[in-house]
Amino acid sequence: HHIPIRSRGGPSHQRHLRATDEAMAAPAILRPALREIGGWQRLHRFTAVSRYDTFRAAAAVLGRNQGTLEAQMRLLERELGGRLLIRAERGQPMMLTAFGAEVISAIGRAKP
């Protein structure tokens, strides 16, 4: 019947069954994040957050909880293996790292 078999405890939803294939089609730098549920969402939120001086400003404009955005960015940094943002400090805005700029460029080259 050509029904894909999932590993024990793995996701059963069709979208999640295709996640590995979609990850392999993306630029290599993005693949670790795309193997996890919500990877594209975190990547797109990272792109949006990077446009603001602080997480507080990003959260206000995006209509999201600041703590949630910060947690998603920490998870994304762990998944991708590098620091994406230099957090804002008193008198200094949040800035992209060189790695963060590479990730944003790769997101722009990717399809979804």
Side-chain angles (χ1 to χ4, degrees), residues 21-91:
D21 293 337
E22 290 175 1
M24 293 310 293
I29 195 170
L30 305 179
R31 290 178 192 161
L34 297 176
R35 290 187 182 111
E36 301 297 328
I37 294 169
W40 276 118
Q41 182 183 54
R42 283 188 299 282
L43 289 167
H44 290 302
R45 284 206 179 137
F46 163 61
T47 301
V49 165
S50 71
R51 296 182 185 122
Y52 297 94
D53 289 342
T54 63
F55 276 108
R56 179 181 290 177
V61 174
L62 299 173
R64 301 286 175 207
N65 178 282
Q66 178 180 341
T68 300
L69 286 177
E70 290 178 20
Q72 288 180 337
M73 296 309 103
R74 283 192 303 272
L75 175 58
L76 192 56
E77 287 174 331
R78 279 195 310 273
E79 290 170 340
L80 297 177
R83 194 164 190 195
L84 299 170
L85 296 163
I86 299 170
R87 277 35 175 197
E89 293 183 16
R90 193 173 304 238

